[in-house]
Amino acid sequence: MSIQKSDATKYIHTGNGEFCYKMNKSLTVPETFPIYLSSAYIFNAIEPIDKICEDVSEDGIPTYGYFRLGNPNADAVSEILAAGDGAEKGLVFASGMAAITTSILAVVKPGDHIIASPIIYGETYAFFKHELRRWGVETTFVDFSTQDVADYIRPNTTLIYGETIANPMMSVPNMEYLTNIAHANNALLFIDNTFATSIIAKPIKYGVDLVLYSATKYLGGHDDLVGGAVVGSKELIKKISYYLGLYGSNLGATESWLLARSLRTLPLRVKKMSDNALILAKFFETHPKVEKVYYPGLESSLNKAAADNQFEGNGYGGMLSVNFNGGMAEINKLIKNLKIVRFVPTLAGVGTTLTYPPRASHRDLNKEELTAIGITMGQIRISVGLEEIEDILKDFEQALAKF
Ligand SMILES: *Cc1c(COP(=O)(O)O)cnc(C)c1O
């Protein structure tokens, strides 16, 4: 006897996820991985739920049950990320900060000690300085380029944290050295590779335990998605994945899909931006209104040797900072006079943008802290885009002529 279906039942029970059973038998599959906007999965019996809860996959068959705990789009994009970095596994998050905070909380406990560079992303700094302290985890800030991390290690040091190209002075740490010190103390080394990307540097090669990303920046690359990612060993990723589920810091399906699409052009974008950035850095270096340029690709950079030793040979990245002779009034004039380059408080989109570290990314630092790092009131940070660099040079030339 057939069950009569009412309109309501038909609208609910046709064309839903069970259609995928037909797709699995189809002679063809979609060329591009589709977006799976499904918050949960159908079980045809009770037994599969045990396998899924214990995360036992047979022959790589995925075990999906509930979106937050794992889903096809997150897995697809994580696979691309892990491959690019040469890591065993990857994981994606709702933002860069979700990736950073969730991963750190997965590996520290009250009473632990962390060593972090003070030259890091503003909110990461705040997380170490204020939030982790609230949970009984103390952080010592050690400048990797002027101080020796080994001098600050304690028996309870469980994590060392830095960035490959550190914001905004573009300093480059010696990753192999940091790994050796961390591992000799049974500590982990986490490196935020957002400014470099795997195209410029592959920290996994140097024994770094976890590589972290704000996918909002180069990985996304079009100023239209917010996301985060980490890559590392299967074991560490599994541990972090538990906390991702617990805190609910997962990336949505649409954002995962957008991120996967963006990654297809990451090598092209980063190489072109790097080439452009070197030309722009050299232009500023000889400009009479410039006091100092921070870019690891310049011969004058204190970080050039570290970059040459550890980078992949695809240039030095698309980020540079420039200290002009002058203060806020001059920078304001510069911003108003630029015709192509816009003031946007993010980085790594397709177009060249600038920001003002003393009032944007580093606004919470006091005058002494700013001076200690080398940030002046005449500093701008530039994210170099994919334009023809001649146009950008002309734009800066005309704007600086009026300053
Ligand atoms: C932007 C950024 C973050 C934070 O990422 P969100 O996606 O904004 O949460 C962390 N580290 C670095 C180096 C960044 O540039």
Side-chain angles (χ1 to χ4, degrees):
M1 194 188 86
S2 78
I3 296 172
Q4 287 298 323
K5 289 182 180 172
S6 67
D7 276 353
T9 309
K10 282 181 200 162
Y11 274 113
I12 291 168
H13 286 281
T14 43
N16 62 24
E18 273 146 332
F19 187 82
C20 292
Y21 291 130
K22 289 189 199 166
M23 273 175 43
N24 288 345
K25 290 176 194 143
S26 162
L27 289 178
T28 55
V29 291
E31 185 202 4
T32 301
F33 200 76
I35 305 181
Y36 287 88
L37 283 172
S38 184
S39 57
Y41 290 77
I42 303 166
F43 292 79
N44 56 13
I46 296 169
E47 295 79 24
I49 206 160
D50 294 335
K51 281 189 180 166
I52 283 170
C53 290
E54 285 152 30
D55 195 21
V56 200
S57 56
E58 287 157 9
D59 303 328
I61 296 168
T63 52
Y64 302 128
Y66 186 65
F67 186 90
R68 174 163 40 76
L69 305 174
N71 62 82
N73 288 106
D75 280 0
V77 71
S78 298
E79 202 175 308
I80 306 170
L81 289 163
D85 262 279
E88 281 178 7
K89 239 175 152 16
L91 208 53
V92 285
F93 296 81
S95 68
M97 283 316 296
I100 292 166
T101 56
T102 307
S103 301
I104 294 171
L105 289 171
V107 301
V108 297
K109 59 180 187 311
D112 281 356
H113 173 245
I114 295 174
I115 294 175
S117 164
I119 310 167
I120 48 174
Y121 188 69
E123 264 117 20
T124 311
Y125 183 79
F127 182 67
F128 285 124
K129 195 172 174 189
H130 306 298
E131 181 61 6
L132 282 176
R133 174 170 295 174
R134 216 161 66 84
W135 298 103
V137 178
E138 197 193 333
T139 303
T140 307
F141 293 99
V142 176
D143 187 338
F144 298 158
S145 41
T146 58
Q147 295 166 287
D148 188 349
V149 173
D151 295 340
Y152 300 87
I153 285 274
R154 300 179 194 170
N156 61 338
T157 306
T158 48
L159 178 66
I160 299 179
Y161 190 100
E163 295 179 0
T164 8
I165 299 180
N167 185 23
M169 314 316 281
M170 312 308 159
S171 42
V172 179
N174 181 336
M175 290 187 269
E176 202 168 355
Y177 180 69
L178 293 177
T179 307
N180 289 340
I181 291 176
H183 292 178
N185 202 56
N186 271 329
L188 295 166
L189 176 62
F190 282 14
I191 292 285
D192 180 333
N193 200 35
T194 299
F195 274 33
T197 79
S198 69
I199 309 309
I200 303 296
K202 297 195 197 298
I204 292 286
K205 273 189 184 173
Y206 301 97
V208 170
D209 297 288
L210 194 74
V211 184
L212 303 94
Y213 291 102
S214 166
T216 316
K217 314 297 167 51
Y218 287 100
L219 308 187
H222 296 73
D223 288 346
D224 55 10
L225 80 89
V226 173
V230 301
V231 300
S233 70
K234 268 187 190 156
E235 197 190 342
L236 183 55
I237 294 295
K238 191 170 178 180
K239 191 170 181 180
I240 296 167
S241 163
Y242 168 75
Y243 288 92
L244 180 153
L246 204 60
Y247 292 126
S249 42
N250 57 287
L251 188 65
T254 307
E255 284 79 7
S256 295
W257 185 92
L258 274 171
L259 181 54
R261 189 183 64 169
S262 291
L263 289 171
R264 308 299 181 197
T265 56
L266 182 72
L268 274 177
R269 286 187 283 112
V270 174
K271 276 184 215 161
K272 171 78 175 172
M273 286 168 170
S274 251
D275 291 348
N276 277 352
L278 182 60
I279 296 168
L280 194 59
K282 286 181 177 164
F283 160 81
F284 282 126
E285 202 171 35
T286 55
H287 198 284
K289 285 177 182 164
V290 170
E291 181 198 318
K292 181 138 183 71
V293 183
Y294 295 93
Y295 186 67
L298 290 175
E299 293 299 332
S300 62
S301 168
L302 297 173
N303 295 287
K304 176 115 189 337
D308 285 335
N309 284 336
Q310 301 174 91
F311 286 2
E312 294 293 303
N314 291 321
Y316 304 87
M319 298 299 300
L320 61 131
S321 290
V322 185
N323 289 9
F324 289 97
N325 301 316
M328 198 149 86
E330 284 74 19
I331 301 300
N332 230 345
K333 261 192 219 160
L334 174 69
I335 290 166
K336 286 177 186 166
N337 288 333
L338 284 165
K339 291 182 163 49
I340 301 173
V341 181
R342 290 162 304 159
F343 177 14
V344 186
T346 187
L347 61 110
V350 291
T352 301
T353 58
L354 66 82
T355 182
Y356 186 55
R359 279 287 182 277
S361 57
H362 292 69
R363 66 173 296 124
D364 292 335
L365 273 60
N366 60 37
K367 224 177 167 136
E368 289 74 48
E369 287 173 312
L370 290 175
T371 311
I373 296 176
I375 300 174
T376 65
M377 297 311 280
Q379 185 182 75
I380 61 167
R381 191 193 74 191
I382 303 170
S383 167
V384 183
L386 295 173
E387 302 96 339
E388 284 309 323
I389 196 61
E390 285 305 317
D391 296 336
I392 301 302
L393 293 174
K394 272 187 210 144
D395 197 20
F396 274 110
E397 230 159 37
Q398 65 82 21
L400 285 169
K402 297 175 192 157
F403 163 134

